[in-house]
Amino acid sequence: MESMLLDVAGHRRSPATVPSYHRGGPPRNKGEQYQADPPTVEEIVAVMRTIDDRPNGHRLRALIVLLCRAGLRISEALALQENDLDRSRGAVLIRRGKGGKPREVGMDRGAWGSSIRGWRSVASSHSARC
């Protein structure tokens, strides 16, 4: 009779959950490439239209602009501070990017419109309260 694998609660486990089960064989998705599936402009506009004008709405709108226009990762965008945005140069400073490396990305003039300006006023008023 085969030995059964049990978890902490005493339930049976699949042999595939053991780390050594797949060792030595190629991964099932080896060689497959998946196309990036970014949202369309229409989808982005539809999401931004649903955001209201409360302070959190300004921040959310600015977050979407930063993610789309500057190509930031979500963790990079959430870690931004007000002094990381340099409108005069059109640059956004990422202090800790992928691999812990700092980098600077540029954004076009359209991205620096009311969305980012609204976030900056919300961020400064929020930091003054904290």
Side-chain angles (χ1 to χ4, degrees), residues 97-118:
K98 189 172 182 177
K101 299 175 186 173
R103 68 185 174 115
E104 193 170 79
V105 295
M107 286 197 313
D108 57 16
R109 289 179 188 251
W112 290 99
S114 61
S115 296
I116 301 296
R117 209 174 17 246

Side-chain angles (χ1 to χ4, degrees), residues 61-130:
R61 197 174 292 119
L63 180 65
I64 292 171
V65 169
L66 284 166
L67 292 171
C68 296
R69 295 275 183 98
L72 300 186
R73 296 172 180 87
I74 188 69
S75 59
E76 295 170 345
L78 292 174
L80 284 176
Q81 298 174 5
E82 184 178 357
N83 56 353
D84 295 336
L85 304 173
D86 187 358
R87 184 185 174 116
S88 62
R89 292 180 41 232
V92 179
L93 174 65
I94 310 302
R95 296 183 186 276
R96 187 174 171 93
K98 189 172 182 177
K101 299 175 186 173
R103 68 185 174 115
E104 193 170 79
V105 295
M107 286 197 313
D108 57 16
R109 289 179 188 251
W112 290 99
S114 61
S115 296
I116 301 296
R117 209 174 17 246
W119 178 81
R120 291 181 79 157
S121 64
V122 170
S124 60
S125 65
H126 177 70
S127 61
R129 281 186 271 137
C130 294

